[in-house]
């Protein structure tokens, strides 16, 4: 598993778009609300990569 806490590459996946203005991101889901709150506070949402074994 690989984790990068400074990466914001999940933004398009969470919000469906990438804008320069974070305050314009939608808040339709609890994930969107929490991620937007983190970004507005100057934090990163991070990213991770792993393999799920079944």
């Amino acid at each position: 598993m690989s984790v990068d806490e400074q990466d914001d590459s999940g933004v398009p996946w969470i919000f469906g778009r990438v804008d320069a203005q974070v305050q314009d991101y939608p808040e339709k889901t609890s994930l969107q609300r929490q991620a937007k709150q983190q970004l507005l506070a100057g934090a990163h949402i991070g990213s991770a990569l792993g393999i799920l074994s079944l």
Side-chain angles (χ1 to χ4, degrees), residues 15-54:
F15 297 106
R17 60 194 232 200
V18 179
D19 294 322
Q21 303 299 319
V22 175
Q23 62 266 18
D24 293 334
Y25 287 154
E27 296 184 53
K28 296 177 183 175
T29 68
S30 59
L31 176 61
Q32 287 178 333
R33 289 188 291 275
Q34 290 296 316
K36 182 176 177 179
Q37 186 178 46
Q38 290 290 321
L39 293 169
L40 287 171
H44 298 277
I45 56 172
S47 67
L49 173 66
I51 298 174
L52 179 64
S53 60
L54 301 173

